[in-house]
Amino acid sequence: MAKLRIYNDIVTQDEQAMMQFWGMAGGVTFNDVAAFCDGIPEDDPDIDVLLHCDGGSVNEGWSIYDRLRATGKNITCIVEGKAHSMASVILMAAPKEQRKAYENSEILIHNPYCFTTRPLTADTLQAMANDMQREQKKMVDLYVERCGCDAVAIQEQMDKNEPMNMDKAMGFGLIGEIITPMSAKKINEDFSLFNKRTNMEENVSVKKSLLDRMLEKLGFKTVEEVKFGMSLNTADGETIEVEREEGEPQVG
């Protein structure tokens, strides 16, 4: 199984080169993911995408989403800490039932925005606003298609621009499973074994009590006093055969 770890921001090639020049973590680009996909053996049908990412470049994020789905592989996406912004789009590369998250993870979806340091005219600002509105609708449409959620509700959540816990993410259909810690599973298994053991001890206690009562009725204090392979007559005239082939005595 191929494992793709997206633990850094989603960046362009130029941004990655600049970050590496300054000795920073290089980020994840479309080229990185494309090279990863090309390196998966043809006979390996699965990809696990592990996410702990703040998001990043819109174009790179959509390209990564498309490239993963184009592999035709069985994709599972797991949120290991956070899937913010465009990382939530990459999360959608897996079908709902294979989108998972640890219980203390968080997902953040929001409307797209941009940063700029250059002077802008009204026309330029309007063009940028139109582009962002189209991008916003594109994201809403993706969440509705892949999650089966309501468009108005998901847009309201995007307007809030705040992280959501995994219960809320499950409600929207952003994930299909909250991963239970292995330690919790171990506790449940131990508790189940304790219950089985307790029931067993109760059954043994009951059987012992029945045997004691039968011995008392026959006038014996312990099993050792009974001679096996004999017939006993009770006070009410019943005949009881006492046998033991091996193990515990059999009375009947």
Side-chain angles (χ1 to χ4, degrees):
M1 178 183 294
K3 290 185 180 293
L4 173 63
R5 293 174 172 84
I6 301 180
Y7 291 164
N8 293 311
D9 290 352
I10 301 161
V11 298
T12 65
Q13 285 294 114
D14 290 344
E15 289 169 337
Q16 186 184 65
M18 183 64 68
M19 294 168 74
Q20 290 173 346
F21 177 80
W22 291 106
M24 301 167 63
V28 178
T29 69
F30 166 76
N31 286 358
D32 294 331
V33 175
F36 170 86
C37 292
D38 290 340
I40 301 174
E42 290 186 7
D43 60 351
D44 187 348
D46 302 312
I47 301 176
D48 271 4
V49 182
L50 310 178
L51 293 166
H52 181 53
C53 177
D54 283 315
S57 168
V58 171
N59 290 335
E60 293 286 313
W62 279 112
S63 299
I64 291 170
Y65 166 83
D66 288 337
R67 184 66 182 85
L68 287 171
R69 295 202 64 191
T71 62
K73 305 284 187 182
N74 179 46
I75 300 173
T76 298
C77 288
I78 301 174
V79 184
E80 294 195 319
K82 56 188 171 182
H84 289 188
S85 191
M86 285 308 291
S88 70
V89 169
I90 295 174
L91 177 63
M92 298 298 111
K96 181 178 177 179
E97 65 275 10
Q98 291 173 209
R99 297 196 297 265
K100 309 176 184 181
Y102 291 109
E103 59 184 358
N104 292 310
S105 301
E106 61 180 35
I107 296 175
L108 185 149
I109 59 176
H110 65 81
N111 300 322
Y113 49 80
C114 68
F115 300 96
T116 181
T117 56
R118 61 190 177 89
L120 300 172
T121 65
D123 290 342
T124 304
L125 284 171
Q126 185 60 59
M128 290 175 65
N130 292 339
D131 287 342
M132 285 191 288
Q133 286 174 344
R134 281 193 295 270
E135 194 63 44
Q136 182 174 317
K137 184 179 185 305
K138 185 177 174 182
M139 289 179 177
V140 170
D141 290 345
L142 175 73
Y143 296 135
V144 170
E145 175 193 350
R146 301 292 286 171
C147 304
C149 57
D150 178 71
V152 173
I154 204 73
Q155 179 60 71
E156 288 176 352
Q157 182 63 36
M158 291 171 68
D159 293 340
K160 293 178 182 178
N161 192 20
E162 64 184 22
M164 69 182 85
N165 62 32
M166 293 305 93
D167 288 333
K168 192 169 186 179
M170 280 277 286
F172 279 116
L174 293 168
I175 59 172
E177 179 184 339
I178 299 174
I179 300 172
T180 304
M182 292 301 294
S183 56
K185 291 180 180 178
K186 184 66 168 61
I187 290 171
N188 289 336
E189 288 170 2
D190 289 346
F191 186 70
S192 176
L193 287 173
F194 171 77
N195 281 341
K196 289 179 181 177
R197 192 176 301 114
T198 302
N199 290 337
M200 235 165 50
E201 290 170 354
E202 288 174 354
N203 290 337
V204 169
S205 176
V206 170
K207 289 178 181 177
K208 184 177 180 182
S209 176
L210 288 172
L211 183 58
D212 289 339
R213 289 200 298 272
M214 293 178 68
L215 289 171
E216 184 179 352
K217 186 176 181 181
L218 295 170
F220 296 101
K221 293 181 180 179
T222 65
V223 173
E224 286 73 15
E225 296 180 12
V226 180
K227 293 181 179 179
F228 301 103
M230 61 182 288
S231 299
L232 298 174
N233 295 320
T234 64
D236 53 8
E238 294 180 9
T239 300
I240 297 177
E241 299 293 334
V242 183
E243 303 174 346
R244 181 170 65 179
E245 296 177 358
E246 60 179 64
E248 290 298 318
Q250 300 170 352
V251 181

PDB file of all heavy atoms in Angstrom, residues 26 31 33-34 38 40 55 60 64 75 83 91 107 112 117 125-126 136 144 151 192-194 200 221 236 239 241-242:
ATOM      1  N   GLY A  26       9.969  22.719   2.695  1.00  0.00           N
ATOM      2  CA  GLY A  26       9.692  23.054   1.300  1.00  0.00           C
ATOM      3  C   GLY A  26       8.247  23.042   0.876  1.00  0.00           C
ATOM      4  O   GLY A  26       7.910  23.509  -0.205  1.00  0.00           O
ATOM      5  N   ASN A  31       3.761  18.703  -8.400  1.00  0.00           N
ATOM      6  CA  ASN A  31       4.819  17.871  -8.970  1.00  0.00           C
ATOM      7  C   ASN A  31       5.250  16.771  -8.003  1.00  0.00           C
ATOM      8  O   ASN A  31       5.548  15.647  -8.416  1.00  0.00           O
ATOM      9  CB  ASN A  31       6.034  18.728  -9.344  1.00  0.00           C
ATOM     10  CG  ASN A  31       5.784  19.551 -10.600  1.00  0.00           C
ATOM     11  OD1 ASN A  31       4.719  19.452 -11.204  1.00  0.00           O
ATOM     12  ND2 ASN A  31       6.752  20.372 -10.985  1.00  0.00           N
ATOM     13  N   VAL A  33       3.378  15.278  -5.735  1.00  0.00           N
ATOM     14  CA  VAL A  33       2.331  14.266  -5.700  1.00  0.00           C
ATOM     15  C   VAL A  33       2.290  13.486  -7.010  1.00  0.00           C
ATOM     16  O   VAL A  33       2.089  12.259  -7.014  1.00  0.00           O
ATOM     17  CB  VAL A  33       0.967  14.903  -5.395  1.00  0.00           C
ATOM     18  CG1 VAL A  33      -0.154  13.872  -5.466  1.00  0.00           C
ATOM     19  CG2 VAL A  33       0.990  15.564  -4.017  1.00  0.00           C
ATOM     20  N   ALA A  34       2.480  14.181  -8.125  1.00  0.00           N
ATOM     21  CA  ALA A  34       2.487  13.499  -9.428  1.00  0.00           C
ATOM     22  C   ALA A  34       3.619  12.475  -9.497  1.00  0.00           C
ATOM     23  O   ALA A  34       3.431  11.346  -9.974  1.00  0.00           O
ATOM     24  CB  ALA A  34       2.621  14.519 -10.550  1.00  0.00           C
ATOM     25  N   ASP A  38       3.253   8.425  -9.946  1.00  0.00           N
ATOM     26  CA  ASP A  38       3.935   7.722 -11.031  1.00  0.00           C
ATOM     27  C   ASP A  38       4.793   6.577 -10.506  1.00  0.00           C
ATOM     28  O   ASP A  38       5.062   5.615 -11.226  1.00  0.00           O
ATOM     29  CB  ASP A  38       4.821   8.695 -11.826  1.00  0.00           C
ATOM     30  CG  ASP A  38       4.006   9.682 -12.652  1.00  0.00           C
ATOM     31  OD1 ASP A  38       2.816   9.392 -12.911  1.00  0.00           O
ATOM     32  OD2 ASP A  38       4.547  10.744 -13.024  1.00  0.00           O
ATOM     33  N   ILE A  40       4.029   4.535  -8.021  1.00  0.00           N
ATOM     34  CA  ILE A  40       3.264   3.434  -7.421  1.00  0.00           C
ATOM     35  C   ILE A  40       3.225   2.258  -8.394  1.00  0.00           C
ATOM     36  O   ILE A  40       2.855   2.428  -9.560  1.00  0.00           O
ATOM     37  CB  ILE A  40       1.823   3.876  -7.102  1.00  0.00           C
ATOM     38  CG1 ILE A  40       1.825   5.066  -6.130  1.00  0.00           C
ATOM     39  CG2 ILE A  40       1.029   2.726  -6.491  1.00  0.00           C
ATOM     40  CD1 ILE A  40       0.449   5.654  -5.889  1.00  0.00           C
ATOM     41  N   GLY A  55      -3.357  23.755   4.499  1.00  0.00           N
ATOM     42  CA  GLY A  55      -3.863  24.179   3.193  1.00  0.00           C
ATOM     43  C   GLY A  55      -2.805  24.945   2.426  1.00  0.00           C
ATOM     44  O   GLY A  55      -1.610  24.755   2.623  1.00  0.00           O
ATOM     45  N   GLU A  60      -2.821  24.523  -6.885  1.00  0.00           N
ATOM     46  CA  GLU A  60      -2.060  23.311  -6.592  1.00  0.00           C
ATOM     47  C   GLU A  60      -2.953  22.281  -5.891  1.00  0.00           C
ATOM     48  O   GLU A  60      -2.885  21.083  -6.169  1.00  0.00           O
ATOM     49  CB  GLU A  60      -0.856  23.643  -5.705  1.00  0.00           C
ATOM     50  CG  GLU A  60       0.200  24.499  -6.368  1.00  0.00           C
ATOM     51  CD  GLU A  60       1.034  23.757  -7.396  1.00  0.00           C
ATOM     52  OE1 GLU A  60       1.501  22.646  -7.108  1.00  0.00           O
ATOM     53  OE2 GLU A  60       1.225  24.309  -8.506  1.00  0.00           O
ATOM     54  N   ILE A  64      -3.749  18.523  -7.222  1.00  0.00           N
ATOM     55  CA  ILE A  64      -3.433  17.322  -6.438  1.00  0.00           C
ATOM     56  C   ILE A  64      -4.685  16.437  -6.308  1.00  0.00           C
ATOM     57  O   ILE A  64      -4.613  15.208  -6.455  1.00  0.00           O
ATOM     58  CB  ILE A  64      -2.887  17.718  -5.052  1.00  0.00           C
ATOM     59  CG1 ILE A  64      -1.501  18.349  -5.196  1.00  0.00           C
ATOM     60  CG2 ILE A  64      -2.832  16.504  -4.119  1.00  0.00           C
ATOM     61  CD1 ILE A  64      -0.965  18.989  -3.934  1.00  0.00           C
ATOM     62  N   ILE A  75      -8.570   4.907  -2.849  1.00  0.00           N
ATOM     63  CA  ILE A  75      -7.971   5.956  -2.016  1.00  0.00           C
ATOM     64  C   ILE A  75      -8.641   6.022  -0.650  1.00  0.00           C
ATOM     65  O   ILE A  75      -9.866   6.040  -0.546  1.00  0.00           O
ATOM     66  CB  ILE A  75      -8.068   7.330  -2.712  1.00  0.00           C
ATOM     67  CG1 ILE A  75      -7.328   7.300  -4.049  1.00  0.00           C
ATOM     68  CG2 ILE A  75      -7.504   8.437  -1.825  1.00  0.00           C
ATOM     69  CD1 ILE A  75      -7.512   8.562  -4.880  1.00  0.00           C
ATOM     70  N   ALA A  83      -6.992  19.204   8.692  1.00  0.00           N
ATOM     71  CA  ALA A  83      -7.156  19.345   7.241  1.00  0.00           C
ATOM     72  C   ALA A  83      -7.851  20.682   7.037  1.00  0.00           C
ATOM     73  O   ALA A  83      -9.074  20.764   7.067  1.00  0.00           O
ATOM     74  CB  ALA A  83      -7.956  18.191   6.655  1.00  0.00           C
ATOM     75  N   LEU A  91      -8.865  15.999   0.835  1.00  0.00           N
ATOM     76  CA  LEU A  91      -9.579  14.974   1.605  1.00  0.00           C
ATOM     77  C   LEU A  91     -10.716  14.351   0.790  1.00  0.00           C
ATOM     78  O   LEU A  91     -11.017  13.163   0.919  1.00  0.00           O
ATOM     79  CB  LEU A  91     -10.127  15.606   2.889  1.00  0.00           C
ATOM     80  CG  LEU A  91     -10.977  14.744   3.825  1.00  0.00           C
ATOM     81  CD1 LEU A  91     -10.173  13.578   4.377  1.00  0.00           C
ATOM     82  CD2 LEU A  91     -11.536  15.596   4.964  1.00  0.00           C
ATOM     83  N   ILE A 107     -11.129  20.006  11.123  1.00  0.00           N
ATOM     84  CA  ILE A 107     -11.248  20.351   9.704  1.00  0.00           C
ATOM     85  C   ILE A 107     -11.755  21.784   9.609  1.00  0.00           C
ATOM     86  O   ILE A 107     -12.655  22.173  10.360  1.00  0.00           O
ATOM     87  CB  ILE A 107     -12.210  19.382   8.984  1.00  0.00           C
ATOM     88  CG1 ILE A 107     -11.640  17.958   8.994  1.00  0.00           C
ATOM     89  CG2 ILE A 107     -12.463  19.831   7.547  1.00  0.00           C
ATOM     90  CD1 ILE A 107     -12.577  16.908   8.410  1.00  0.00           C
ATOM     91  N   PRO A 112     -12.542  31.232  -0.308  1.00  0.00           N
ATOM     92  CA  PRO A 112     -11.182  31.558  -0.769  1.00  0.00           C
ATOM     93  C   PRO A 112     -10.870  33.039  -0.584  1.00  0.00           C
ATOM     94  O   PRO A 112     -11.761  33.885  -0.602  1.00  0.00           O
ATOM     95  CB  PRO A 112     -11.215  31.178  -2.258  1.00  0.00           C
ATOM     96  CG  PRO A 112     -12.656  31.213  -2.635  1.00  0.00           C
ATOM     97  CD  PRO A 112     -13.418  30.830  -1.422  1.00  0.00           C
ATOM     98  N   THR A 117       0.446  42.555  -2.703  1.00  0.00           N
ATOM     99  CA  THR A 117       1.218  43.719  -2.241  1.00  0.00           C
ATOM    100  C   THR A 117       1.332  44.774  -3.343  1.00  0.00           C
ATOM    101  O   THR A 117       1.997  45.782  -3.161  1.00  0.00           O
ATOM    102  CB  THR A 117       2.639  43.286  -1.826  1.00  0.00           C
ATOM    103  OG1 THR A 117       3.276  42.612  -2.922  1.00  0.00           O
ATOM    104  CG2 THR A 117       2.585  42.343  -0.628  1.00  0.00           C
ATOM    105  N   LEU A 125      -9.714  44.607  -9.040  1.00  0.00           N
ATOM    106  CA  LEU A 125     -10.358  44.087  -7.837  1.00  0.00           C
ATOM    107  C   LEU A 125     -11.641  43.339  -8.166  1.00  0.00           C
ATOM    108  O   LEU A 125     -11.927  42.283  -7.605  1.00  0.00           O
ATOM    109  CB  LEU A 125     -10.654  45.239  -6.866  1.00  0.00           C
ATOM    110  CG  LEU A 125      -9.463  45.793  -6.085  1.00  0.00           C
ATOM    111  CD1 LEU A 125      -9.868  47.065  -5.351  1.00  0.00           C
ATOM    112  CD2 LEU A 125      -8.955  44.751  -5.085  1.00  0.00           C
ATOM    113  N   GLN A 126     -12.424  43.880  -9.107  1.00  0.00           N
ATOM    114  CA  GLN A 126     -13.674  43.236  -9.489  1.00  0.00           C
ATOM    115  C   GLN A 126     -13.414  41.892 -10.152  1.00  0.00           C
ATOM    116  O   GLN A 126     -14.108  40.901  -9.879  1.00  0.00           O
ATOM    117  CB  GLN A 126     -14.454  44.143 -10.443  1.00  0.00           C
ATOM    118  CG  GLN A 126     -15.842  43.624 -10.810  1.00  0.00           C
ATOM    119  CD  GLN A 126     -16.725  43.450  -9.577  1.00  0.00           C
ATOM    120  OE1 GLN A 126     -16.957  44.417  -8.850  1.00  0.00           O
ATOM    121  NE2 GLN A 126     -17.212  42.239  -9.343  1.00  0.00           N
ATOM    122  N   GLN A 136     -15.323  29.820  -4.934  1.00  0.00           N
ATOM    123  CA  GLN A 136     -16.152  29.516  -3.776  1.00  0.00           C
ATOM    124  C   GLN A 136     -17.287  28.567  -4.140  1.00  0.00           C
ATOM    125  O   GLN A 136     -17.543  27.582  -3.441  1.00  0.00           O
ATOM    126  CB  GLN A 136     -16.709  30.826  -3.205  1.00  0.00           C
ATOM    127  CG  GLN A 136     -17.555  30.675  -1.965  1.00  0.00           C
ATOM    128  CD  GLN A 136     -17.922  32.040  -1.406  1.00  0.00           C
ATOM    129  OE1 GLN A 136     -17.114  32.941  -1.324  1.00  0.00           O
ATOM    130  NE2 GLN A 136     -19.188  32.184  -1.023  1.00  0.00           N
ATOM    131  N   VAL A 144     -20.864  19.318  -1.635  1.00  0.00           N
ATOM    132  CA  VAL A 144     -22.225  18.771  -1.790  1.00  0.00           C
ATOM    133  C   VAL A 144     -22.165  17.435  -2.530  1.00  0.00           C
ATOM    134  O   VAL A 144     -22.823  16.462  -2.136  1.00  0.00           O
ATOM    135  CB  VAL A 144     -23.122  19.773  -2.541  1.00  0.00           C
ATOM    136  CG1 VAL A 144     -24.452  19.120  -2.928  1.00  0.00           C
ATOM    137  CG2 VAL A 144     -23.370  21.012  -1.683  1.00  0.00           C
ATOM    138  N   ALA A 151     -26.206  22.547   0.491  1.00  0.00           N
ATOM    139  CA  ALA A 151     -25.367  23.630  -0.014  1.00  0.00           C
ATOM    140  C   ALA A 151     -25.430  24.864   0.887  1.00  0.00           C
ATOM    141  O   ALA A 151     -24.402  25.513   1.158  1.00  0.00           O
ATOM    142  CB  ALA A 151     -25.774  23.996  -1.438  1.00  0.00           C
ATOM    143  N   SER A 192     -14.701  -7.000  28.016  1.00  0.00           N
ATOM    144  CA  SER A 192     -15.495  -8.106  27.473  1.00  0.00           C
ATOM    145  C   SER A 192     -15.003  -9.443  28.031  1.00  0.00           C
ATOM    146  O   SER A 192     -15.791 -10.301  28.411  1.00  0.00           O
ATOM    147  CB  SER A 192     -15.409  -8.104  25.949  1.00  0.00           C
ATOM    148  OG  SER A 192     -16.075  -9.208  25.406  1.00  0.00           O
ATOM    149  N   LEU A 193     -13.674  -9.607  28.107  1.00  0.00           N
ATOM    150  CA  LEU A 193     -13.114 -10.838  28.657  1.00  0.00           C
ATOM    151  C   LEU A 193     -13.465 -10.981  30.132  1.00  0.00           C
ATOM    152  O   LEU A 193     -13.740 -12.077  30.623  1.00  0.00           O
ATOM    153  CB  LEU A 193     -11.584 -10.841  28.487  1.00  0.00           C
ATOM    154  CG  LEU A 193     -11.074 -11.060  27.060  1.00  0.00           C
ATOM    155  CD1 LEU A 193      -9.571 -10.867  27.011  1.00  0.00           C
ATOM    156  CD2 LEU A 193     -11.451 -12.443  26.556  1.00  0.00           C
ATOM    157  N   PHE A 194     -13.463  -9.837  30.858  1.00  0.00           N
ATOM    158  CA  PHE A 194     -13.829  -9.858  32.274  1.00  0.00           C
ATOM    159  C   PHE A 194     -15.266 -10.337  32.438  1.00  0.00           C
ATOM    160  O   PHE A 194     -15.571 -11.144  33.303  1.00  0.00           O
ATOM    161  CB  PHE A 194     -13.654  -8.467  32.872  1.00  0.00           C
ATOM    162  CG  PHE A 194     -14.203  -8.342  34.272  1.00  0.00           C
ATOM    163  CD1 PHE A 194     -13.501  -8.848  35.358  1.00  0.00           C
ATOM    164  CD2 PHE A 194     -15.430  -7.738  34.493  1.00  0.00           C
ATOM    165  CE1 PHE A 194     -14.008  -8.752  36.637  1.00  0.00           C
ATOM    166  CE2 PHE A 194     -15.950  -7.629  35.772  1.00  0.00           C
ATOM    167  CZ  PHE A 194     -15.224  -8.145  36.852  1.00  0.00           C
ATOM    168  N   MET A 200     -18.544 -17.162  33.578  1.00  0.00           N
ATOM    169  CA  MET A 200     -18.076 -18.518  33.730  1.00  0.00           C
ATOM    170  C   MET A 200     -18.022 -18.906  35.206  1.00  0.00           C
ATOM    171  O   MET A 200     -18.448 -19.981  35.608  1.00  0.00           O
ATOM    172  CB  MET A 200     -16.675 -18.647  33.122  1.00  0.00           C
ATOM    173  CG  MET A 200     -16.588 -19.742  32.085  1.00  0.00           C
ATOM    174  SD  MET A 200     -15.115 -19.624  31.081  1.00  0.00           S
ATOM    175  CE  MET A 200     -13.838 -19.467  32.246  1.00  0.00           C
ATOM    176  N   LYS A 221     -21.180 -35.603  52.537  1.00  0.00           N
ATOM    177  CA  LYS A 221     -20.676 -34.240  52.709  1.00  0.00           C
ATOM    178  C   LYS A 221     -19.800 -33.808  51.536  1.00  0.00           C
ATOM    179  O   LYS A 221     -19.791 -32.655  51.139  1.00  0.00           O
ATOM    180  CB  LYS A 221     -19.870 -34.158  54.011  1.00  0.00           C
ATOM    181  CG  LYS A 221     -20.712 -34.334  55.262  1.00  0.00           C
ATOM    182  CD  LYS A 221     -19.841 -34.204  56.498  1.00  0.00           C
ATOM    183  CE  LYS A 221     -20.686 -34.372  57.767  1.00  0.00           C
ATOM    184  NZ  LYS A 221     -19.844 -34.266  59.002  1.00  0.00           N
ATOM    185  N   ASP A 236     -37.486 -40.409  48.871  1.00  0.00           N
ATOM    186  CA  ASP A 236     -38.786 -40.437  48.210  1.00  0.00           C
ATOM    187  C   ASP A 236     -38.904 -41.594  47.223  1.00  0.00           C
ATOM    188  O   ASP A 236     -39.786 -41.618  46.369  1.00  0.00           O
ATOM    189  CB  ASP A 236     -39.063 -39.110  47.499  1.00  0.00           C
ATOM    190  CG  ASP A 236     -37.958 -38.716  46.564  1.00  0.00           C
ATOM    191  OD1 ASP A 236     -37.046 -39.544  46.354  1.00  0.00           O
ATOM    192  OD2 ASP A 236     -37.992 -37.582  46.052  1.00  0.00           O
ATOM    193  N   THR A 239     -34.386 -43.756  42.325  1.00  0.00           N
ATOM    194  CA  THR A 239     -33.094 -44.428  42.193  1.00  0.00           C
ATOM    195  C   THR A 239     -32.159 -43.552  41.372  1.00  0.00           C
ATOM    196  O   THR A 239     -32.517 -43.117  40.268  1.00  0.00           O
ATOM    197  CB  THR A 239     -33.245 -45.792  41.492  1.00  0.00           C
ATOM    198  OG1 THR A 239     -34.118 -46.591  42.285  1.00  0.00           O
ATOM    199  CG2 THR A 239     -31.891 -46.489  41.343  1.00  0.00           C
ATOM    200  N   GLU A 241     -28.313 -43.290  39.676  1.00  0.00           N
ATOM    201  CA  GLU A 241     -27.085 -43.979  39.305  1.00  0.00           C
ATOM    202  C   GLU A 241     -25.928 -42.993  39.393  1.00  0.00           C
ATOM    203  O   GLU A 241     -25.986 -41.888  38.837  1.00  0.00           O
ATOM    204  CB  GLU A 241     -27.186 -44.506  37.866  1.00  0.00           C
ATOM    205  CG  GLU A 241     -28.301 -45.512  37.653  1.00  0.00           C
ATOM    206  CD  GLU A 241     -28.044 -46.811  38.387  1.00  0.00           C
ATOM    207  OE1 GLU A 241     -26.846 -47.125  38.630  1.00  0.00           O
ATOM    208  OE2 GLU A 241     -29.012 -47.514  38.732  1.00  0.00           O
ATOM    209  N   VAL A 242     -24.845 -43.363  40.074  1.00  0.00           N
ATOM    210  CA  VAL A 242     -23.662 -42.499  40.205  1.00  0.00           C
ATOM    211  C   VAL A 242     -22.534 -43.122  39.399  1.00  0.00           C
ATOM    212  O   VAL A 242     -22.124 -44.245  39.651  1.00  0.00           O
ATOM    213  CB  VAL A 242     -23.255 -42.350  41.683  1.00  0.00           C
ATOM    214  CG1 VAL A 242     -22.070 -41.405  41.801  1.00  0.00           C
ATOM    215  CG2 VAL A 242     -24.420 -41.843  42.517  1.00  0.00           C
TER     216      VAL A 242
END
